[in-house]
């Protein structure tokens, strides 16, 4: 910063006053240097937060704002036609499958199925045989008493089968995926021959659309109220949210650069040959992964790969997030560790994981249970100021849906296909990081930030069960059945 031009009065005075001692000069110089240092440190934050010509308030709104929910709110009240449940002497037992969020959505589907079939639901058994090998029980992860009590106006739920029915013959039924209410009315015929029906898989048992409004709202009550996490998980999750909030606003980044996801999708961009082969072998020996031979380049160009940590860093900087932003990584172990995280960390030094945010003592009861640690990630992600998933999966869909339900909190869904084109242009030297890239990325994501919209239907041209498979998940966007304008409900 240039010094102001001295006045003639000062020049005259300087000729009349004797020169100060050398020590005075030194003291003045040190004081001035200290001032410049402190001023520059304050300016770093200002420049960092305001890299464009926008005012600070406009920039803050663009980066963090979500228009206060756009006037929408949850609407899950029962209609006048909704009858009270009965205590039926017929029971639905369930074995949930998949990771935490696949099990959560499946459990909520089975609550609705029990209602449709006039059945008593037995507390579901959780998956202990999946990739995560988690031995957690229902009550380890969820508040079991709250689950039962909060749904007593909808479905009768018991902790276990009556003893007299433990050895009774039961129908083992793989309910057809994405089925409507009429399908389960037909399945009710099974009660003529059995008192117990066992469901070996719980995921995607219900259609996304065209269900009675009361069934859809029941799914929302189950997901967003009844299926609350256990008290120890809730306490730690909220404590870590408070720690993050103490630094200001934060981004929750669901970084799916994990071994299982990279292997499953066949995405090896940026990895070395040894790592790519390790992932190929893992895919080959995993029996229930049907696709074995995958072209990694085609996957990436099609937008079917998780963004790499480096790509996420470029993306967030291009959107305008300053390097001082706190980013919580909601994920398991990142493949390659710091080797692939270093570029993202160099751009955003305040990059934290639950292992760095919490103490070892706080995590010791959860660390060997992946579903419980995933629940902590879920809480922190739902409560974040901005949520960014690097890939669309069960966790990303569930968090986005929950954030929509709570008031359309900002969720930025990267356009992976479009971004890959830009990243490749950077690699070829055709585009540089800076204003041009920022303009392209910002325009590309103007309408991908969680604003209210109705749930997408099936993809054009899809037929049969594929038509249902390509619909947007109900739990990804429960609008319009469970979300409405405040003055319209």
């Amino acid at each position: 910063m240039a010094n102001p031009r001295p006045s003639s009065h000062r020049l005259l005075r300087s000729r009349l006053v004797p020169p100060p001692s050398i020590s005075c000069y030194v003291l003045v110089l040190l004081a001035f240097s200290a001032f410049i240092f402190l001023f520059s440190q304050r300016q770093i934050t200002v420049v960092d937060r305001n890299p464009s010509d926008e005012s600070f308030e406009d920039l803050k709104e663009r980066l963090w704002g979500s228009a206060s929910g756009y006037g929408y709110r949850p609407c899950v009240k029962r209609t006048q036609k909704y009858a009270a449940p009965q205590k039926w002497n017929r029971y639905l037992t369930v074995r949930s499958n998949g990771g935490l969020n696949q099990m959560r959505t499946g459990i909520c589907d089975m609550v609705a199925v029990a209602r449709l079939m006039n059945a008593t639901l037995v507390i579901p058994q959780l998956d202990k045989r999946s990739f995560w090998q988690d031995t957690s029980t229902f009550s380890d992860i969820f508040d079991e008493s709250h689950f039962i009590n909060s749904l007593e106006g909808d479905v009768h739920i018991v902790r276990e089968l009556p003893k007299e029915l433990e050895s009774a013959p039961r129908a083992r039924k793989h309910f057809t995926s994405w089925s409507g209410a009429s399908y389960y009315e037909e399945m009710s015929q099974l009660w003529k021959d059995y008192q117990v029906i066992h469901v070996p898989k719980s995921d995607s048992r219900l259609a996304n659309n065209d269900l009675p409004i009361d069934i859809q709202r029941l799914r929302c009550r189950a997901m967003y109220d009844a299926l609350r996490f256990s008290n120890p998980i809730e306490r730690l999750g909220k404590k870590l949210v408070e720690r993050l909030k103490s630094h200001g606003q934060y981004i929750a980044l669901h970084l799916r650069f994990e071994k299982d996801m990279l292997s499953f999708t066949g995405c090896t961009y940026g990895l070395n040959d040894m790592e790519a082969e390790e992932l190929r072998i893992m895919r080959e020996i995993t029996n229930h992964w049907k696709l074995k031979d995958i072209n990694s380049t085609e996957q990436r160009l099609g937008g079917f790969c998780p963004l790499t940590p480096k790509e996420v860093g470029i993306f967030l900087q291009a959107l305008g997030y300053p390097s001082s932003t706190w980013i919580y990584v909601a994920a398991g172990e990142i493949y390659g560790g710091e080797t692939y995280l270093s570029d993202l960390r160099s751009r955003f030094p305040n990059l934290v994981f639950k292992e760095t945010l919490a103490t070892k003592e706080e995590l010791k009861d959860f660390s060997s249970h992946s579903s419980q640690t995933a629940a902590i990630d879920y809480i922190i992600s739902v409560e974040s100021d901005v949520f960014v998933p690097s890939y669309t999966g069960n966790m990303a869909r569930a968090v986005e849906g929950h954030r929509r339900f709570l008031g359309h909190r900002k969720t930025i869904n990267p356009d992976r296909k479009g971004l890959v084109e830009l990243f490749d242009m950077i690699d070829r030297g055709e585009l540089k990081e800076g204003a041009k890239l920022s303009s392209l990325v910002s325009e590309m994501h103007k309408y991908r930030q969680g604003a209210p919209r109705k749930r997408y239907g099936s993809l054009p041209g899809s037929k049969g069960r594929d038509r249902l498979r390509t619909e947007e998940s109900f739990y990804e966007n429960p609008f319009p059945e469970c979300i409405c304008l405040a003055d319209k409900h």
Side-chain angles (χ1 to χ4, degrees):
M1 183 170 63
N3 289 322
R5 184 181 180 87
S7 66
S8 58
H9 175 74
R10 286 180 181 173
L11 287 172
L12 178 61
R13 185 172 181 273
S14 67
R15 293 191 186 102
L16 298 175
V17 177
S21 66
I22 296 298
S23 59
C24 289
Y25 274 124
V26 172
L27 288 173
V28 170
L29 183 61
L30 287 173
F32 181 73
S33 299
F35 169 76
I36 291 295
F37 173 77
L38 292 172
F39 181 77
S40 67
Q41 294 305 299
R42 189 178 71 84
Q43 287 295 302
I44 286 172
T45 305
V46 175
V47 172
D48 196 28
R49 293 170 110 179
N50 190 7
S52 68
D53 293 332
E54 293 176 278
S55 70
F56 174 69
E57 289 304 319
D58 288 343
L59 178 64
K60 184 177 179 181
E61 177 61 27
R62 179 170 66 82
L63 295 180
W64 303 102
S66 56
S68 301
Y70 303 89
Y72 286 87
R73 69 171 193 181
C75 47
V76 294
K77 289 182 179 178
R78 304 168 179 89
T79 68
Q80 293 180 346
K81 297 179 180 179
Y82 193 75
Q86 300 183 41
K87 292 187 177 181
W88 297 98
N89 192 29
R90 48 203 191 195
Y91 297 84
L92 204 61
T93 63
V94 178
R95 183 179 293 278
S96 299
N97 60 298
L100 173 69
N101 289 288
Q102 189 171 339
M103 290 192 292
R104 288 177 71 245
T105 56
I107 289 167
C108 295
D109 271 6
M110 296 316 299
V111 167
V113 168
R115 172 75 194 200
L116 286 168
M117 294 185 68
N118 298 318
T120 294
L121 178 67
V122 180
I123 287 289
Q125 296 176 311
L126 303 189
D127 192 342
K128 296 177 174 59
R129 298 174 295 182
S130 65
F131 173 84
W132 297 272
Q133 298 288 304
D134 192 337
T135 60
S136 299
T137 64
F138 189 95
S139 61
D140 290 329
I141 300 177
F142 305 110
D143 185 335
E144 193 173 276
S145 296
H146 178 77
F147 180 69
I148 294 171
N149 295 334
S150 64
L151 291 171
E152 63 183 1
D154 300 290
V155 177
H156 185 50
I157 303 174
V158 295
R159 287 180 167 82
E160 53 190 21
L161 274 174
K163 291 194 178 296
E164 65 270 19
L165 291 178
E166 287 179 354
S167 57
R170 63 187 70 180
R172 180 182 172 89
K173 186 64 181 174
H174 286 267
F175 290 137
T176 303
S177 299
W178 299 292
S179 296
S182 60
Y183 171 84
Y184 287 104
E185 289 169 5
E186 294 174 10
M187 289 299 104
S188 295
Q189 300 299 315
L190 290 168
W191 298 127
K192 294 178 180 179
D193 301 311
Y194 300 94
Q195 269 189 278
V196 182
I197 297 175
H198 178 66
V199 185
K201 286 190 175 183
S202 63
D203 64 320
S204 304
R205 298 304 104 182
L206 271 176
N208 293 302
N209 304 308
D210 302 321
L211 287 171
I213 184 69
D214 274 317
I215 293 300
Q216 296 288 59
R217 290 185 173 183
L218 171 56
R219 294 168 92 180
C220 289
R221 290 196 297 275
M223 175 65 89
Y224 305 125
D225 176 23
L227 208 56
R228 188 168 69 190
F229 293 118
S230 66
N231 288 332
I233 291 174
E234 285 282 338
R235 279 195 299 270
L236 181 56
K238 289 175 181 176
K239 184 184 292 185
L240 298 187
V241 168
E242 289 174 4
R243 285 179 192 169
L244 284 162
K245 294 276 189 184
S246 70
H247 299 286
Q249 293 160 308
Y250 74 94
I251 294 173
L253 169 63
H254 186 45
L255 188 60
R256 282 300 263 136
F257 202 75
E258 299 157 314
K259 187 176 182 179
D260 64 307
M261 180 53 66
L262 296 177
S263 177
F264 175 73
T265 56
C267 297
T268 58
Y269 174 76
L271 305 181
N272 61 43
D273 291 342
M274 186 180 300
E275 290 167 333
E277 179 64 10
E278 180 184 24
L279 297 180
R280 187 197 66 78
I281 292 172
M282 181 180 178
R283 186 169 65 253
E284 190 67 35
I285 63 176
T286 305
N287 293 329
H288 61 280
W289 290 354
K290 296 179 181 179
L291 212 55
K292 303 297 182 184
D293 188 18
I294 302 177
N295 185 309
S296 178
T297 301
E298 290 179 1
Q299 282 285 93
R300 181 171 177 272
L301 293 176
F304 304 121
C305 288
L307 296 180
T308 69
K310 179 180 179 179
E311 290 171 340
V312 170
I314 296 172
F315 171 62
L316 292 177
Q317 277 193 332
L319 286 175
Y321 288 98
S323 61
S324 57
T325 303
W326 280 73
I327 298 179
Y328 176 82
V329 180
E333 184 178 354
I334 301 302
Y335 192 59
E338 201 59 34
T339 300
Y340 295 114
L341 279 172
S342 58
D343 189 278
L344 174 59
R345 193 183 298 279
S346 69
R347 297 169 187 269
F348 295 96
N350 296 321
L351 189 74
V352 294
F353 295 74
K354 53 185 158 293
E355 292 81 5
T356 53
L357 194 61
T359 66
K360 288 184 178 180
E361 183 68 21
E362 289 170 329
L363 285 175
K364 72 174 185 178
D365 293 333
F366 310 103
S367 57
S368 59
H369 300 283
S370 58
S371 291
Q372 295 182 48
T373 55
I376 294 170
D377 283 339
Y378 184 91
I379 292 170
I380 296 172
S381 297
V382 168
E383 295 299 324
S384 65
D385 298 284
V386 176
F387 176 63
V388 180
S390 70
Y391 186 74
T392 302
N394 292 317
M395 165 83 163
R397 286 192 289 267
V399 170
E400 178 176 355
H402 202 155
R403 290 171 67 83
R404 286 182 177 277
F405 181 78
L406 293 174
H408 294 91
R409 297 173 178 176
K410 187 184 284 288
T411 298
I412 305 176
N413 273 304
D415 179 350
R416 294 188 302 276
K417 186 175 181 180
L419 286 171
V420 162
E421 294 180 15
L422 298 181
F423 296 148
D424 286 349
M425 289 175 67
I426 293 172
D427 289 343
R428 294 193 299 267
E430 299 169 6
L431 180 66
K432 292 183 179 180
E433 293 185 50
K436 178 63 174 176
L437 177 65
S438 293
S439 176
L440 292 170
V441 170
S442 296
E443 185 65 27
M444 186 184 291
H445 293 85
K446 186 186 296 184
Y447 303 110
R448 301 178 66 94
Q449 302 193 27
R453 61 169 176 78
K454 288 187 177 180
R455 198 163 51 253
Y456 293 137
S458 55
L459 291 177
S462 56
K463 298 178 181 178
R465 300 220 67 79
D466 282 341
R467 177 178 60 82
L468 302 175
R469 192 190 305 271
T470 61
E471 292 175 343
E472 184 175 20
S473 164
F474 174 80
Y475 297 107
E476 184 175 1
N477 183 12
F479 184 106
E481 298 94 336
C482 300
I483 300 172
C484 52
L485 283 170
D487 59 352
K488 296 240 179 135
H489 181 67

